Structure formats: C-alpha cells, structure tokens
Amino acid sequence: MSTIIEVSHVYKAFGGLSVLDDCSIKVEEGSITGMIGPNGAGKTTLFNIIAGNLPLDSGRVRFNGEDITNMPANELFHKGLLRTFQIAHEFSNMTALENLMMVPPRQLGENLFHTWFKHTEVRQQENDVRQRALEVIDFIGLSHVRNELAGNLSGGQKKLLELGRTMMADARVVLLDEIAAGVNRTLLGDLVANIERLNRERGYTFLVIEHDMDMIARLCDPVIVLAQGHVMMEGTIEEVRNNPQVIEAYFGAPTE
Ligand SMILES: Nc1ncnc2c1ncn2[C@@H]1O[C@H](COP(=O)(O)OP(=O)(O)OP(=O)(O)O)[C@@H](O)[C@H]1O
Ligand SMILES: [Mg+2]
C-alpha cells in the first residue's frame, strides 16, 4: 500500500491557543481510516487544513506525494481530494438530481470559447452529466426521490446525497466529518454500505471523523486517536478500545 495523504508536523493556533500541536498522520491509499478523539481535540481543524479550507501555521501536507500545503480547496477538488459539505441552503430548492448535476466535473471545460461556439458538444456534455447523475442516484438508493426538492429530504437522505456529490466528481480521497450524526439506523446502514462500496468498487480512500464507535468499528481500519491536537495512538479498533490512555482521554476516567 502507498501513502496518499501525509500530514507532517502540523501546528495551528487560534488567537494564541494551540489547537494542533506537532500533528502527523498518514493515510494509506484504498483504506477507510477512522479518526476519533474528544470534543475539541482538533479533528475538524485538521480536516479543514487538509482540504484547503484553512491555512496552517507550520508543517506540510502531501497528497499522493505532491506538496499541497495551503493549496486552495477548489484546486484540491480538481485533484480528487474533497470533503463533504451539508447541502448548501441555496441548493435546497433544487431537486436531488439537480443537486448532483450541479457538481462541477473534475476535468473542467478548458475555456468559455467552448461553451459559446460548440453548442452541440455542450449539449452532449449536459446529457452525459444527466446520465451520470442518474447512475449515481441509483447507486446511493435515492432514485425514488430524485425529483424531490433537496430541502425536503430527510436528514439521512441528505447525507446520502452529499456522498453522491463526491461520486459526481470522481474523487480519490473523501474526508467525512461526522456524517452519522442524527441519522437513523436504517439509513446509517445504507450510508455505511455505500462508503464500503465506493471504497471497494471505485477505489475511494476515506478519512472518517466519527463519534459513533459502532460505525467506526464497522468501517474503519486503522483508527487514529487525536487528543489535544496530537496523535495519541493509531491501531485497529480493538487496540484503540483496549488502550487505557485512550479510554481515559475519551471517557474521562479509567475503567477496570
Ligand atoms: N475558527 C476558529 N477560531 C477559534 N477557535 C477555533 C476555531 N475553530 C476551532 N477552534 C477551536 O479549536 C479547538 C478544536 O476544534 P475542532 O473543531 O477542530 O475540534 P473537534 O475535534 O472537531 O471537536 P468535535 O468532536 O467537538 O467536533 C476547539 O477548542 C475550538 O474551539
Ligand atoms: Mg469536529
């Protein structure tokens, strides 16, 4: 296996308060790597830095060997490194299918000249995008609500749609920040199954922040434990669960 994401010695402070402190992680290509840790450990901050949503103070981030430190999110998106976002407010009045069709393709049309002078090609492209969106919506099991407004979907269906958006972009690495929160058990099962399928069938690598230990146990190997901005340990879910230091950091008190 080869390393696809490498974070080396990253420091980040907010207003003089250290949030990431010499933080280093590696994510292997093709893995579904979990990330857990107490509230405020710095997990979301680390995601923001990797995905180009937040500058770091010092340290380096590499994607597939390339230095991507402080590279903007849209550039990373076109390289296939992306994170899911909640369906933005302005898209809630569009249908589920239209939301998928809105995702810009990874290989963006070279220039405007194309759009103005090559109408047939553009129409062909639109048909392709629609076809792709129909395939994606089938894959995520939302065909029956494809013409429903995104704003009317249930919480869990919205999460599935967010995952679907990453498929429109042909991602290589997807960062998931607490997508299980507030999702009922049935849809959670669908989400987990879709993540596994994307991993297996499309070769997606996932880095998953989650507080739901059952979900981490089902999906993730290895699991990285972040505490106070620093990696406390990395191992299988069993190793993590049996580590007294982790138990103390996570649950606040040692158990016998
Ligand atoms: N933009 C910001 N400005 C100031 N402080 C921030 C900012 N973003 C995060 N922090 C602080 O950084 C620390 C880490 O926050 P972060 O959101 O990364 O934690 P987390 O591990 O994702 O926690 P949780 O599990 O609760 O989501 C917190 O103390 C938080 O208050
Ligand atoms: Mg967080």
Side-chain angles (χ1 to χ4, degrees):
M1 282 219 279
S2 62
T3 302
I4 191 149
I5 298 278
E6 184 173 11
V7 171
S8 320
H9 309 292
V10 164
Y11 289 80
K12 177 73 186 174
F14 290 111
L17 218 70
S18 169
V19 171
L20 293 176
D21 181 16
D22 193 18
C23 183
S24 299
I25 68 165
K26 278 184 183 176
V27 177
E28 297 301 325
E29 181 158 29
S31 71
I32 305 179
T33 299
M35 182 173 286
I36 65 169
N39 294 116
K43 304 180 295 295
T44 299
T45 303
L46 182 60
F47 264 33
N48 286 335
I49 285 172
I50 296 172
N53 301 119
L54 190 71
L56 48 68
D57 293 340
S58 68
R60 310 250 46 105
V61 183
R62 283 184 187 79
F63 173 54
N64 205 27
E66 181 187 358
D67 194 331
I68 58 156
T69 312
N70 290 338
M71 202 177 269
N74 62 339
E75 221 169 298
L76 294 173
F77 177 91
H78 289 293
K79 290 179 184 294
L81 169 59
L82 55 147
R83 59 179 302 177
T84 58
F85 276 107
Q86 283 188 347
I87 306 293
H89 184 65
E90 60 267 33
F91 294 146
S92 55
N93 282 327
M94 298 171 70
T95 68
L97 192 68
E98 285 165 348
N99 262 277
L100 293 181
M101 292 176 66
M102 284 292 295
V103 178
R106 235 175 89 187
Q107 261 44 313
L108 217 55
E110 286 80 86
N111 53 41
L112 271 177
F113 183 85
H114 261 74
T115 354
W116 288 343
F117 296 104
K118 296 200 172 175
H119 289 295
T120 23
E121 263 183 41
V122 170
R123 210 166 305 128
Q124 181 57 42
Q125 257 179 24
E126 273 172 15
N127 281 338
D128 290 351
V129 169
R130 191 183 163 77
Q131 195 50 45
R132 181 77 192 262
L134 285 167
E135 283 168 26
V136 167
I137 212 152
D138 183 46
F139 186 100
I140 57 178
L142 291 183
S143 286
H144 59 299
V145 290
R146 68 173 178 272
N147 295 322
E148 194 59 64
L149 298 183
N152 292 346
L153 299 182
S154 78
Q157 289 171 333
K158 282 181 188 152
K159 302 284 165 107
L160 283 166
L161 192 59
E162 286 168 32
L163 203 60
R165 287 169 61 87
T166 71
M167 296 181 63
M168 290 301 291
D170 253 338
R172 291 189 65 187
V173 176
V174 179
L175 310 178
L176 302 175
D177 192 352
E178 293 194 48
I179 59 160
V183 174
N184 81 44
R185 286 284 137 187
T186 316
L187 275 178
L188 191 58
D190 290 350
L191 260 177
V192 167
N194 276 303
I195 292 166
E196 282 172 333
R197 256 184 91 188
L198 281 172
N199 174 252
R200 202 173 51 236
E201 295 175 17
R202 309 267 170 120
Y204 278 31
T205 301
F206 285 96
L207 183 56
V208 181
I209 296 177
E210 204 54 68
H211 285 292
D212 184 324
M213 284 296 200
D214 291 341
M215 177 152 168
I216 289 277
R218 257 192 78 179
L219 263 184
C220 301
D221 186 27
V223 178
I224 297 167
V225 184
L226 206 68
Q228 295 172 332
H230 194 79
V231 173
M232 177 180 269
M233 75 163 289
E234 178 184 329
T236 65
I237 183 71
E238 280 317 307
E239 287 164 350
V240 163
R241 271 182 168 153
N242 293 323
N243 183 310
Q245 234 190 325
V246 173
I247 296 168
E248 177 150 10
Y250 220 76
F251 302 106
T255 58
E256 49 259 38

